[in-house]
Amino acid sequence: MSKQYIDPKEIATKDLHQFIIGGIAPRPIAFVSTVDEYGRENLAPYSFFNAFSSNPPILVFSSNRKVSDNTTKDTLHNIEMTKEAVINVVNYPIVRQMALASVEFPRGISEFEKTGLSTEPSTVVKPPRVKESPMNFECRVKEIITLGDKGGAGHLIICEVVGIHIDSNVLTNGRIDPQKIDLMGRMGRMYYVRASGDAVMEIVQMVNAQPIGYDKLPGHIKRSDILTGNDIGILAAAECEIPVTSATPEDTQIEELHKMIKTSLTEGNVFEAIRLAFNGA
Ligand SMILES: Cc1cc2nc3c(=O)[nH]c(=O)nc-3n(C[C@H](O)[C@H](O)[C@H](O)COP(=O)(O)O)c2cc1C
């Protein structure tokens, strides 16, 4: 691996932006509905976005000054006026309409009309919800933090969630099912990721019990040409007593042994893999 060093002060903002959005990815997309001081609705996607607190429930997104002309965006203006927003999630069935809503329509033009998405009244805030989105967070804006005054500078919009609506069809046993909600993530340039199907993987990592740890794995495992970093990660994460009768295999046995460990890991039999790693075949 050979890495290039980049001094963010030495490259153009548009290039820096691409390195940031390509590397900090995939990002969830806040599809933000707001109204202006005249009650006119607005809808725009923001992927400089995440959840930052569960109690109180806080979501934050950033509306940036445009790099091209240093102007600010309608969403920021509306929030400065009304201190309210709805953050609608973006799933696969509405991803193209979401992309269309990012067009710079003149202030006062409703992206609901331009995209064909439907409004649905909120319970406690004025901005409407996106009916087709499977989950809507009604928010009051607690604070806006301005990060700079040049093109590309963000405004952190700190939102407290005051109401949540969720489509019961995306739930399995009362929890959000990634295969049903089918969310989209934003990457760099024109790339998106669809977070369902084979893109979803399960990693069960208990955080209360102490795992074996990489440092306690046998040397031949750490030096393996057959086991990958992920294989070693699974072995190091196993929560079990380190087998006391640790045996060192002969050099001629190692390749075969590591293949057997890999097979056990592929079959999900971590304890057999651990037994082999410490005691040999
Ligand atoms: C998927 C996606 C994510 C975006 N994320 C951001 C973002 O985090 N911050 C931002 O300022 N603009 C972002 N944009 C661009 C805005 O959506 C775009 O400038 C839009 O016209 C702003 O609308 P408004 O003026 O109605 O607020 C994003 C665009 C897309 C398609």
Side-chain angles (χ1 to χ4, degrees):
M1 199 184 297
S2 108
K3 289 181 187 160
Q4 193 185 332
Y5 175 74
I6 297 165
D7 180 343
K9 294 193 184 69
E10 295 296 322
I11 60 173
T13 306
K14 66 175 178 30
D15 298 327
L16 179 57
H17 178 71
Q18 283 304 329
F19 280 117
I20 290 172
I21 69 170
I24 308 300
R27 295 178 306 288
I29 303 168
F31 204 11
V32 185
S33 36
T34 52
V35 291
D36 69 8
E37 61 274 39
Y38 309 108
R40 294 178 301 184
E41 63 217 13
N42 189 82
L43 180 64
Y46 286 86
S47 69
F48 281 14
F49 163 61
N50 223 304
F52 286 90
S53 168
S54 304
N55 183 21
I58 301 289
L59 309 181
V60 180
F61 70 95
S62 180
S63 183
N64 295 357
R65 287 180 170 277
K66 291 176 202 162
V67 178
S68 54
D69 60 7
N70 197 16
T71 54
T72 53
K73 301 187 179 181
D74 295 347
T75 301
L76 176 67
H77 170 86
N78 293 357
I79 283 175
E80 282 170 340
M81 292 292 142
T82 65
K83 304 281 189 288
E84 289 183 342
V86 177
I87 293 181
N88 307 277
V89 303
V90 175
N91 64 353
Y92 179 73
I94 62 170
V95 68
R96 290 290 182 154
Q97 287 162 296
M98 175 281 298
L100 176 56
S102 72
V103 169
E104 290 176 22
F105 297 112
R107 182 164 297 171
I109 296 291
S110 167
E111 286 82 3
F112 283 98
E113 278 174 28
K114 291 291 176 194
T115 60
L117 289 164
S118 326
T119 59
E120 193 170 36
S122 295
T123 305
V124 286
V125 299
K126 279 212 196 70
R129 294 178 287 133
V130 174
K131 190 174 180 186
E132 293 81 356
S133 164
M135 201 169 181
N136 327 93
F137 295 88
E138 295 190 27
C139 300
R140 290 222 167 83
V141 173
K142 283 174 78 98
E143 203 180 340
I144 301 173
I145 300 176
T146 301
L147 300 177
D149 56 10
K150 298 196 176 66
H155 299 82
L156 297 188
I157 300 176
I158 302 178
C159 303
E160 177 157 2
V161 177
V162 292
I164 301 172
H165 303 257
I166 182 156
D167 177 1
S168 50
N169 290 322
V170 304
L171 302 176
T172 299
N173 299 328
R175 301 282 190 215
I176 295 173
D177 183 327
Q179 301 296 358
K180 291 181 180 170
I181 195 166
D182 203 3
L183 292 171
M184 296 299 299
R186 178 92 197 270
M187 307 184 79
R189 299 170 63 209
M190 74 298 272
Y191 297 114
Y192 289 85
V193 63
R194 184 176 180 180
S196 61
D198 289 347
V200 177
M201 67 187 281
E202 289 178 47
I203 298 178
V204 180
Q205 176 67 65
M206 306 302 280
V207 288
N208 305 326
Q210 287 300 303
I212 287 183
Y214 175 81
D215 54 322
K216 296 285 190 312
L217 292 178
H220 65 92
I221 295 288
K222 296 181 190 173
R223 292 187 297 273
S224 178
D225 292 329
I226 290 166
L227 298 168
T228 64
N230 280 333
D231 294 332
I232 288 172
I234 298 172
L235 295 171
E239 302 125 34
C240 59
E241 294 289 313
I242 297 167
V244 277
T245 55
S246 187
T248 309
E250 300 293 325
D251 285 354
T252 50
Q253 299 172 317
I254 282 180
E255 187 178 337
E256 194 52 34
L257 178 64
H258 288 194
K259 283 182 182 163
M260 288 168 71
I261 293 171
K262 202 167 178 67
T263 304
S264 295
L265 291 174
T266 309
E267 290 167 352
N269 195 347
V270 178
F271 290 109
E272 174 62 5
I274 291 287
R275 192 192 67 74
L276 290 167
F278 281 89
N279 293 335

